[in-house]
Amino acid sequence: MTTTTEAPAPAAAPPAKPVQGRIKCVVWDLDNTLWDGVLLEDGEVTVRPGVIEHIRRLDAMGVLHSVASKNDHETAMAKLRELGLEEMFLAPRIGWNPKSDSLRQLAEKLNLGLDAFAFVDDQDFELAEMAYSLPQVTRVNAVDIDTELVKPDYRPRFVSDESAQRREMYRSQLERDEVREEFTGTNEEFLASLEMVFTIAPAAREDLQRAEELTIRTNQLNSTGRTYSYDELDALRESPDHLLLVATLTDRFGSYGKIGLALVDRSGPDWRLNMMLMSCRVMSRGVGSVLLNHLMERAREAGAGLVADFVPTGRNRMMQITYAFSGFREVAKDGDRQLLAADLDRAQEQPGYVTVRVTR
């Protein structure tokens, strides 16, 4: 008697969000997906035609890749190294647990929402199990990659000079997380061990693609929710009445890239901070107020006051807290828009665990 095991009926998946570039990470099965053949049965396998081209094309645009495979971990990793592909995959999950469990772990590890993942597999059962367990994840049959992986969902709205470095930035972050888990000192001692360097400089034209991307993608730490186009930022960059600053952060593991942006109108007796934003990924590094402190110091040196626009968006409370912590108070309000004024005598010293470098 033959018993047939059927996959559980998939839950109804919510309609895919029609957002260009919504897929941030593609997760690949290995056997008969990344390569032709079954590794533990065939021994010798060959990479499927076109797969590597898709991986490298998406990687250059800033789309990440990982692995979820039912396989022997050591054997599969050895094969990926032999093929020169190990470096392309972040935190690969190779074992015998359900692949939906692997996706959950990756989402937590990479700090991405489940709806930012696509899962590629050749087995209908595995695709159905993923649909049942994690309907937010986009499923792609391995035979359809040439039509699926070129859709707008996989094409980021912004391809900046940092896009090709995104994989290495995430890899560095994974290394930091591992060190932090093993570190036994205080949080400040850990931050000091990172040897962070925070650089503040006027925005150059080559910074503007990433600056535009920051205004679009940064929600929790955008002071007004306002977005700016490349052309708007370029005009403001060249305006003598405005100051457009970009902040970058590095540590001993590598670069976080461009993580902060500030736009200041200097035409009046009070400098007006029209926009202030920081990338959420650096807040745990204790550097969220470094750029703001720098602006307070510069305004005081110029004999000017400093006021800031703030518009609550429902997601940017952390920026509101950052302003309050730095001594800003509300002095006017127009609808939702608040005008905050800085007490420049409360400008804080920069934290001792980070080196601040300024170019003017």
Side-chain angles (χ1 to χ4, degrees), residues 241-284:
D241 290 334
H242 289 82
L243 185 65
L244 182 63
L245 298 179
V246 171
T248 59
L249 183 67
T250 62
D251 65 17
R252 63 188 177 94
F253 293 99
S255 175
Y256 296 78
K258 300 177 183 70
I259 46 79
L261 190 68
L263 173 62
V264 183
D265 182 342
R266 300 181 292 180
S267 60
D270 286 338
W271 287 12
R272 190 171 188 128
L273 184 51
N274 290 335
M275 180 184 63
M276 170 82 182
L277 60 86
M278 293 289 293
S279 173
C280 301
R281 68 177 184 266
V282 303
M283 288 305 289
S284 63

Side-chain angles (χ1 to χ4, degrees), residues 199-212 214-215 227-247 260-266 271-277 291 294-295 298 359-360:
T199 302
I200 302 170
R205 180 166 279 112
E206 56 267 25
D207 296 324
L208 296 185
Q209 282 187 328
R210 172 57 177 162
E212 180 186 35
L214 276 172
T215 72
T227 62
Y228 289 82
S229 70
Y230 179 99
D231 290 337
E232 287 177 309
L233 292 170
D234 197 27
L236 290 165
R237 182 182 68 85
E238 296 184 333
S239 166
D241 290 334
H242 289 82
L243 185 65
L244 182 63
L245 298 179
V246 171
L261 190 68
L263 173 62
V264 183
D265 182 342
R266 300 181 292 180
W271 287 12
R272 190 171 188 128
L273 184 51
N274 290 335
M275 180 184 63
M276 170 82 182
L277 60 86
L291 182 55
H294 168 73
L295 291 171
R298 285 186 69 164
T359 301
R360 299 201 182 191

Side-chain angles (χ1 to χ4, degrees), residues 24-38:
K24 303 296 189 298
C25 183
V26 180
V27 180
W28 296 82
D29 176 40
L30 295 177
D31 293 336
N32 291 318
T33 298
L34 185 72
W35 53 55
D36 284 321
V38 177

Side-chain angles (χ1 to χ4, degrees), residues 12 46 48 56 68 72 114 154 188 241 246 263 306 328 344:
T46 55
R48 291 186 62 221
R56 296 196 184 280
D72 178 75
L114 288 167
Y154 300 84
E188 188 157 321
D241 290 334
V246 171
L263 173 62
L306 180 65
F328 283 74
L344 297 183

Side-chain angles (χ1 to χ4, degrees), residues 23-30 33-34 55 63-69 89-93 99 102-104 106-107 110 112 114 116-121 127 130 137-140 149 154:
I23 301 298
K24 303 296 189 298
C25 183
V26 180
V27 180
W28 296 82
D29 176 40
L30 295 177
T33 298
L34 185 72
I55 290 175
V63 178
L64 309 174
H65 297 273
S66 189
V67 169
S69 173
F89 301 108
L90 295 171
R93 292 294 186 261
K99 294 179 184 180
S102 296
L103 260 292
R104 285 192 187 92
L106 282 168
L110 300 179
L112 292 172
L114 288 167
F117 285 87
F119 169 62
V120 185
D121 203 290
L127 294 167
M130 187 66 67
V137 173
T138 297
R139 282 94 49 207
V140 179
L149 299 190
Y154 300 84

